[in-house]
Amino acid sequence: MADTGRKKSGDGTAGKKKMSGLKEMSGNANAALETPDIKGAEAKSVCKATQKMIRRAEELQISTVFGRAESMKPCPIGAEGSCCKNCAMGPCRVPPSKKEGEPAKVGLCGASAETIAARNFARMVAAGSAAHSDHGRGVAEVFLLAAKGEIPGYGVKDVQKLLQVALDFGLDVEHMGIKELAVKVGEMALAEFGRQEGELLFARMAPLKRQELWRKLNLMPRGIDREVVELMHRTHMGVDQDYKNLTAQAARAALSDGWGGSMIATELQDIMFGTPVPIKGSINLGVLKEDEVNIIVHGHEPLLSEMIVVAAQDPEMTKLAREKGAQGINLAGMCCTANEILMRHGIPIAGNFLQQELAIVTGVLDAMVVDVQCEMQSMHSIAKCFHTELITTSPKAKIEGARHMQFDEHDPINTAKKIVAAAIENFPRRTGEAFIPSDTNDMVVGFSHETINYLLGGTFRSSYRPLNDNIIGGRIRGIAGVVGCNNARTVHDSDHLVLIKELLKNDVIVLTTGCSAMACGKAGLLVPEAAAKYCGSGLAEVCEAVGLPPVLHMGSCVDNSRILMAATAVVKEGGLGDDISDLPAAGAAPEWMSEKAISIGHYFVASGVYTVFGTTFPTTGSRIYTEYLFKGLEEEWGGMWDFVADPLEMARKMIAHIDKKRKALGIDKARERVLYDMAMRRELESA
Ligand code: XCC
Ligand code: SF4
């Protein structure tokens, strides 16, 4: 191995020796970013690796999001949705009146606080829906090329799923060949984005009662692009000034994400790259290796990263790596791109959203390869303090100063090899000492809704029946979807974990995606053994019988569509009402930060789910509007929003909602009996 001047520094206990020349560099490169004194890494994150790296960054005087969150407070008026800058007569600020009886403030145009809050909220939905859907469109375009045989290495990997989607699209599967079907599915999926009239094809997968409600309330989504454009139009100055009407159009745009763009992304990715099945993986910054070329793929799309997985295993590349003095090539993921390649290939995850800067601070990252979404611009200035090459790959997401190596969708393997080669070339340029926290955790992931169906029902009769029966019988109290981001305004990972552990203790099974899923992985919740450790006895019994972890990792954020599918399958299985809003279920995003999360929340609410967000809520400046979201919507849609900052209180409210639904279904009694049985059993055991 070539002497790269690196020295293993151990685990957060690294010598005080500074990286050579680094302090100076960080002074320059980070000049624009403040470097405040971060106190107490424990107060920033519950993830041990993150704590160690926060301390390390502080030692090296490198500015990270954790420090900036201390020195820059969020604007209170913007945070509560009370600032309108939709025209140049503003920005107008309409915070709630402080004194009793004071007239409510309005904008220059007369816009009320509720209109302004609703418009701001709606624009978040529009942006979030656009982000997921543009990802979906990219997948559909590549899918179509692949179906036509125009992309070497890409084609139909999961024929079963292709047939299923073709059936869902109403195609004549018996009289069409696989290639013909794939091309047709690709064309139809692409057409969904620009559909001017009618209904999105996947929206017709929802329970019939939900579809009827959407039609009645004019919420049924048409083409994805159309809904987003109309929402942007209606939030323009002087257009839609009825907060309820705005919220309804926001629902159409959000539904066109959940039952449209996101679902298209998930389904077509599964056909092209394989539907996930349970697979082992590992997670946290400890997956980085000092003596290998480390590459992190970060962002959201699997289109290029699928081929980076192949390129990183190419003997030619391994040979090149050895020539440069490395022992091999170590590929890891970050954010949702990580979830995609973890679920399909078992590629380890380096960390979730708030760990992206810290991965570079390890000093061993040879390339940070990003596609789209959730990429912090600060990575560039941190990369400049080290040897790390920050590589952008999407024409939609460039970062000033980063190296751009554009993804050629006609030849992904070639792009992938060039990127891997660039990382290898960079390996000998490492300077200073390595600092890799030793923390990693094992996990079992890959619970597509098809897999859950199969695991529960067995080979002979795949079905959700056992799940429904366990819910009806009370062993499982209900279902929670806990998803979403990390947010530097709250302790990293903590709210996810406190909430989820409380749900498990109360026999609520948890479905998870995104950065929440990664928080669970790091805390050891994604292994079957977690059932005995964290669950109430009912849920523990069910998980142990099937060998399931009590928290099911269902994928990336576009894969929240899998949760919609699973909820629909449970409804269709029977015995738990005839709409998603009848289910003893609830959703949460305790540490959300992105506009995509608001779109996800809104499509869950419009699909009938009680959905709670934590950390902050973007409409609280208008009491009237917030009450409409939290209470008014339940009557109209059967689902509603809520905001609870304290994760234990959040769990309590979700469980109360689940119990309310159990009562309405007449299955609350069954649960009381189970509890009684458990108490008796414990008595017997202790006797
Ligand atoms: Fe981004 Fe999807 Fe949020 Fe994580 S969970 S911070 S959106 S990576 Ni989607
Ligand atoms: Fe102010 Fe109305 Fe313009 Fe908004 S649209 S900035 S409230 S004048």
Side-chain angles (χ1 to χ4, degrees), residues 132 299-300 335-336 353 373-374 484-486 513-516 557 593-594 596-597 600:
H132 282 146
H300 281 78
C335 284
C336 282
F353 175 67
Q373 302 168 15
C374 301
C485 323
N486 294 137
T513 60
C515 290
S516 182
C557 294
M593 64 84 200
S594 85
K596 292 178 289 170
I600 293 167

Side-chain angles (χ1 to χ4, degrees), residues 134-178:
D134 213 36
H135 167 174
R137 185 201 321 271
V139 173
E141 283 170 345
V142 167
F143 182 93
L144 187 55
L145 287 175
K148 290 178 178 164
E150 289 173 21
I151 308 183
Y154 285 5
V156 173
K157 208 172 210 171
D158 189 339
V159 174
Q160 206 51 44
K161 184 122 190 186
L162 170 67
L163 293 175
Q164 185 56 56
V165 171
L167 277 173
D168 296 343
F169 279 4
L171 293 175
D172 178 6
V173 295
E174 277 179 31
H175 297 97
M176 288 166 82
I178 294 300

Side-chain angles (χ1 to χ4, degrees), residues 84-87 89-92 107-109 111 116 119 237:
C84 179
K85 54 177 182 61
N86 292 11
C87 89
M89 297 195 289
C92 298
L108 251 67
C109 65
I116 289 172
R119 280 200 302 224
M237 191 272 154

Side-chain angles (χ1 to χ4, degrees), residues 54-358:
I54 290 174
R55 280 186 221 112
R56 175 65 172 169
E58 186 187 5
E59 189 182 89
L60 301 174
Q61 298 188 343
I62 289 175
S63 162
T64 67
V65 61
F66 294 99
R68 294 190 296 274
E70 282 201 337
S71 60
M72 189 210 253
K73 295 291 164 219
C75 161
I77 295 172
E80 59 187 22
S82 301
C83 173
C84 179
K85 54 177 182 61
N86 292 11
C87 89
M89 297 195 289
C92 298
R93 303 191 295 177
V94 292
S97 338
K98 293 230 163 55
K99 281 181 232 126
E100 189 77 36
E102 206 177 56
K105 287 201 176 74
V106 294
L108 251 67
C109 65
S112 66
E114 20 324 343
T115 296
I116 289 172
R119 280 200 302 224
N120 287 333
F121 180 83
R123 285 206 163 184
M124 294 180 89
V125 171
S129 178
H132 282 146
S133 298
D134 213 36
H135 167 174
R137 185 201 321 271
V139 173
E141 283 170 345
V142 167
F143 182 93
L144 187 55
L145 287 175
K148 290 178 178 164
E150 289 173 21
I151 308 183
Y154 285 5
V156 173
K157 208 172 210 171
D158 189 339
V159 174
Q160 206 51 44
K161 184 122 190 186
L162 170 67
L163 293 175
Q164 185 56 56
V165 171
L167 277 173
D168 296 343
F169 279 4
L171 293 175
D172 178 6
V173 295
E174 277 179 31
H175 297 97
M176 288 166 82
I178 294 300
K179 183 172 177 183
E180 200 188 346
L181 272 177
V183 170
K184 192 72 194 153
V185 163
E187 286 169 352
M188 289 176 81
L190 254 185
E192 289 293 88
F193 294 88
R195 172 191 288 282
Q196 295 307 310
E197 286 304 330
E199 301 175 347
L200 280 188
L201 294 169
F202 278 137
R204 298 187 186 168
M205 305 284 294
L208 289 176
K209 199 169 164 199
R210 185 59 28 186
Q211 293 183 46
E212 281 162 21
L213 185 78
W214 288 340
R215 286 186 194 107
K216 195 177 114 205
L217 300 176
N218 206 19
L219 302 181
M220 189 58 124
R222 300 159 296 180
I224 298 153
D225 294 348
R226 175 159 198 181
E227 300 308 358
V228 173
V229 168
E230 183 172 325
L231 190 54
M232 289 308 286
H233 173 200
R234 281 162 64 165
T235 53
H236 184 276
M237 191 272 154
V239 188
D240 200 350
Q241 287 151 89
D242 173 336
Y243 67 87
K244 292 186 181 174
N245 208 38
L246 278 163
T247 310
Q249 179 56 25
R252 273 211 293 197
L255 289 169
S256 81
D257 169 0
W259 297 87
S262 280
M263 204 170 272
I264 288 170
T266 296
E267 299 296 82
L268 300 192
Q269 284 169 183
D270 279 359
I271 298 173
M272 253 192 303
F273 305 132
T275 304
V277 293
I279 186 168
K280 275 193 181 164
S282 53
I283 184 164
N284 219 341
L285 290 166
V287 304
L288 297 175
K289 294 183 181 151
E290 194 187 357
D291 52 1
E292 295 192 13
V293 174
N294 290 301
I295 304 171
I296 288 182
V297 282
H298 167 23
H300 281 78
E301 298 178 343
L303 295 175
L304 174 61
S305 51
E306 273 286 320
M307 271 303 150
I308 295 187
V309 173
V310 175
Q313 287 161 1
D314 188 318
E316 200 189 307
M317 290 291 147
T318 321
K319 191 168 156 261
L320 189 61
R322 286 186 184 279
E323 281 166 18
K324 296 287 174 190
Q327 294 298 309
I329 301 167
N330 181 38
L331 181 65
M334 195 147 247
C335 284
C336 282
T337 293
N339 282 325
E340 299 284 359
I341 55 174
L342 164 74
M343 300 253 289
R344 297 195 178 89
H345 305 285
I347 300 294
I349 294 188
N352 51 7
F353 175 67
L354 285 181
Q355 292 177 283
Q356 55 187 291
E357 299 169 316
L358 304 177

Side-chain angles (χ1 to χ4, degrees), residues 335-584:
C335 284
C336 282
T337 293
N339 282 325
E340 299 284 359
I341 55 174
L342 164 74
M343 300 253 289
R344 297 195 178 89
H345 305 285
I347 300 294
I349 294 188
N352 51 7
F353 175 67
L354 285 181
Q355 292 177 283
Q356 55 187 291
E357 299 169 316
L358 304 177
I360 303 174
V361 178
T362 60
V364 298
L365 186 58
D366 302 297
M368 174 67 98
V369 184
V370 303
D371 49 57
V372 290
Q373 302 168 15
C374 301
E375 294 139 14
M376 291 191 202
Q377 189 168 358
S378 56
M379 283 190 297
H380 171 59
S381 51
I382 298 181
K384 272 168 69 181
C385 304
F386 297 86
H387 76 298
T388 307
E389 183 120 59
L390 177 62
I391 301 174
T392 54
T393 60
S394 166
K396 296 172 193 166
K398 294 190 178 181
I399 299 176
E400 196 192 337
R403 176 167 179 189
H404 188 68
M405 298 177 80
Q406 193 151 315
F407 169 49
D408 174 4
E409 62 226 30
H410 292 275
D411 197 2
I413 186 67
N414 201 21
T415 315
K417 278 188 179 170
K418 280 186 193 150
I419 290 171
V420 172
I424 296 170
E425 291 296 332
N426 204 23
F427 177 81
R429 295 189 199 119
R430 287 189 195 173
T431 51
E433 57 188 304
F435 187 96
I436 310 174
S438 61
D439 311 72
T440 60
N441 258 90
D442 292 335
M443 52 189 177
V444 182
V445 304
F447 296 93
S448 54
H449 84 93
E450 290 90 341
T451 297
I452 299 176
N453 197 17
Y454 168 79
L455 282 178
L456 290 168
T459 326
F460 299 113
R461 194 179 163 278
S462 301
S463 136
Y464 273 79
R465 194 69 251 158
L467 176 63
N468 284 33
D469 286 345
N470 276 314
I471 295 173
I472 294 166
R475 275 191 196 84
I476 298 178
R477 190 169 186 162
I479 308 171
V482 183
V483 307
C485 323
N486 294 137
N487 184 322
R489 300 291 179 195
T490 186
V491 186
H492 173 228
D493 287 350
S494 175
D495 294 352
H496 287 294
L497 299 175
V498 172
L499 167 67
I500 290 171
K501 285 178 186 170
E502 188 63 17
L503 291 169
L504 296 179
K505 201 164 84 187
N506 285 283
D507 291 318
V508 176
I509 191 166
V510 176
L511 311 178
T512 184
T513 60
C515 290
S516 182
M518 299 183 202
C520 293
K522 288 185 279 171
L525 295 176
L526 301 182
V527 286
E529 302 79 61
K533 199 164 165 194
Y534 295 105
C535 298
S537 38
L539 179 58
E541 200 182 313
V542 176
C543 290
E544 279 163 13
V546 196
L548 276 182
V551 181
L552 301 179
H553 185 321
M554 295 187 80
S556 66
C557 294
V558 292
D559 291 338
N560 283 316
S561 61
R562 298 190 201 275
I563 300 183
L564 293 176
M565 292 286 213
T568 302
V570 171
V571 171
K572 289 183 177 165
E573 190 57 50
L576 289 170
D578 46 18
D579 193 358
I580 295 174
S581 58
D582 295 331
L583 298 176

